[in-house]
Amino acid sequence: MNPSRVSQAAVQTRWWRAGRYVVQDGAIRPKGATTWYEPWATYQDLWAKAERWSIASELVELVRKLEGTHSDENLERGALTPEGEALVLGWCERFGLLGLLPHRALTIIEPPLVVASQSRARENVVGVRVGWRVGGTWLNDVVRYPEYRSRVGRNLPRRGTLVVNAGTLPKPHVVWQDLFEGFAKAVDLHAALRPFFPGLDQADRDKGQYPLPFEQRFVRFYSEPVAAFCTAARQLARLVDESRDVEERKTNRRALVAGVNPDEVTEEAGVHRWRWASPSLLGTLATMVILDNVASCPMGVCAWDKCGRVFARRQPRQKFCCDTHRNTASVSRFRHAEREPTKPSRTSRRKKAKR
Ligand SMILES: [Zn+2]
């Protein structure tokens, strides 16, 4: 393997978002120019400022809103109300898509093609485009099959032609990982990839020449089915749901961070900072949840009924996201207690005694 590819691969810590997203035929599709950003830079800046917020908590909040207004069945089918759709598109316009394809696929093997023609030798070279998920990113290459060249060479007209009777060459397929448990199985190339590229040329789709992560073409065309987005987002939200079984959450967490790899960045003046390379935004968000849990206390949901914000706790029993909401909630509890004098709360008793 070419070493420069590996070093390039190690810097896949960025993520992209399109200027706009639309829902079309059940998929969230990008429109407009692409911008890249560094989720870890945002994360670390917020920690430095002691803001108890992260991109992950924004996704958990989105899920809470969707679950509050949709049935399980509709979320599984990706059947959102116009309001729900607007919430999802708004999130994507800020952070991009979750990256479920590069997250779940382990290997992509495309159909064999003529990759070079050598007219003088009257031979063609046959190769297969292959992508592998490696620590924190994807490596793509064209694997050439020189032994195949001599056998089929003359029958193949020119570059880009599909090799039909591929005989002993690897069959096109995707090794696809389960999002919940992490086990992997081989699935049909088209069945796995087609839903993620509704905007791709029909000819490319028919030939099985899908963009590999994170080629330019991939970034341009990559879309995500609404149903898949909702399922994965809910999966992430379960990591911070304290009512769920601890063992189950542990298994889910492992499946979500399976492709994530540590990396470091050296800034000016020789300052080293850590960051994590991830094949998907979903993996990055799951890693943020783990770090938040380890660095402080598990994430909580603000107990003031008008807020419901998801936040990183400073203390294990912290119930409110900020002092303002703690105070507001206690004032409204007090007023509520005054209206129902039969059940005075401890606060109202104390306040009455002061008067
Ligand atoms: Zn709050």
Side-chain angles (χ1 to χ4, degrees):
M1 199 168 287
N2 182 343
S4 69
R5 278 168 184 271
V6 178
S7 60
Q8 205 178 24
V11 297
Q12 179 56 45
T13 54
R14 303 180 305 160
W15 199 247
W16 77 91
R17 59 183 169 228
R20 202 161 65 82
Y21 289 87
V22 293
V23 172
Q24 211 176 320
D25 301 327
I28 309 165
R29 294 171 61 164
K31 301 273 172 197
T34 300
T35 33
W36 290 83
Y37 72 104
E38 292 263 1
W40 287 111
T42 314
Y43 180 85
Q44 288 175 337
D45 287 350
L46 289 167
W47 266 108
K49 282 192 245 154
E51 291 258 348
R52 321 306 280 196
W53 172 90
S54 78
I55 301 174
S57 54
E58 292 264 336
L59 190 67
V60 176
E61 256 176 52
L62 172 68
V63 169
R64 286 174 52 81
K65 284 179 191 158
L66 292 177
E67 287 180 343
T69 49
H70 294 75
S71 67
D72 279 354
E73 197 201 344
N74 281 343
L75 287 179
E76 274 154 33
R77 289 191 299 131
L80 301 184
T81 61
E83 294 77 22
E85 208 173 279
L87 285 175
V88 169
L89 294 177
W91 194 90
C92 293
E93 275 157 23
R94 291 168 67 205
F95 307 114
L97 293 165
L98 294 175
L100 298 173
L101 161 55
H103 184 95
R104 294 192 57 187
L106 291 171
T107 314
I108 299 172
I109 296 179
E110 298 197 338
L113 282 181
V114 174
V115 292
S117 54
Q118 297 169 328
S119 52
R120 197 181 292 171
R122 297 196 55 78
E123 276 184 342
N124 292 313
V125 183
V126 171
V128 174
R129 270 163 46 88
V130 182
W132 298 270
R133 195 182 89 193
V134 294
T137 188
W138 275 78
L139 290 182
N140 308 319
D141 215 342
V142 176
V143 179
R144 294 184 173 214
Y145 290 86
E147 73 283 2
Y148 206 78
R149 167 173 62 188
S150 51
R151 263 203 288 148
V152 291
R154 270 164 230 218
N155 305 327
L156 295 170
R158 61 190 142 97
R159 264 183 82 181
T161 310
L162 217 53
V163 179
V164 186
N165 297 311
T168 55
L169 291 182
K171 294 249 182 322
H173 69 275
V174 175
V175 180
W176 199 241
Q177 198 170 25
D178 176 81
L179 201 56
F180 300 87
E181 309 276 344
F183 61 80
K185 62 177 182 189
V187 295
D188 178 73
L189 180 84
H190 295 288
L193 302 193
R194 200 178 278 257
F196 295 93
F197 298 104
L200 194 67
D201 279 355
Q202 189 64 37
D204 283 342
R205 291 205 282 171
D206 290 346
K207 270 167 120 187
Q209 299 303 300
Y210 293 95
L212 295 172
F214 295 95
E215 295 173 348
Q216 250 182 10
R217 220 159 55 102
F218 184 93
V219 171
R220 190 170 145 218
F221 288 108
Y222 182 74
S223 306
E224 229 153 56
V226 179
F229 180 97
C230 291
T231 305
R234 296 177 83 195
Q235 179 76 1
L236 185 101
R238 279 191 204 139
L239 296 187
V240 298
D241 182 350
E242 283 160 0
S243 68
R244 294 194 94 87
D245 177 61
V246 176
E247 283 305 311
E248 188 192 312
R249 278 197 281 157
K250 200 189 281 173
T251 310
N252 292 350
R253 197 165 59 224
R254 284 180 185 148
L256 285 174
V257 297
V260 181
N261 227 41
D263 189 36
E264 72 169 330
V265 57
T266 311
E267 296 176 335
E268 309 131 51
V271 178
H272 297 261
R273 291 224 288 184
W274 55 260
R275 60 183 184 181
W276 298 85
S278 170
S280 68
L281 182 60
L282 185 67
T284 299
L285 299 183
T287 309
M288 287 176 180
V289 170
I290 291 181
L291 292 175
D292 283 346
N293 286 353
V294 173
S296 60
C297 310
M299 274 193 208
V301 179
C302 182
W304 183 38
D305 52 7
K306 288 191 182 125
C307 174
R309 187 181 179 209
V310 179
F311 66 100
R313 291 187 175 112
R314 274 159 289 191
Q315 291 137 19
R317 276 170 225 265
Q318 189 182 341
K319 283 187 184 164
F320 300 95
C321 73
C322 58
D323 291 344
T324 316
H325 288 180
R326 182 170 45 88
N327 295 335
T328 316
S330 82
V331 167
S332 69
R333 255 203 320 274
F334 170 63
R335 289 203 183 121
H336 190 71
E338 287 224 307
R339 277 198 296 273
E340 289 172 48
T342 44
K343 281 191 278 174
S345 73
R346 210 177 285 166
T347 343
S348 66
R349 268 206 303 271
R350 213 182 302 136
K351 292 213 172 160
K352 269 178 191 155
K354 269 188 199 163
R355 278 190 210 142

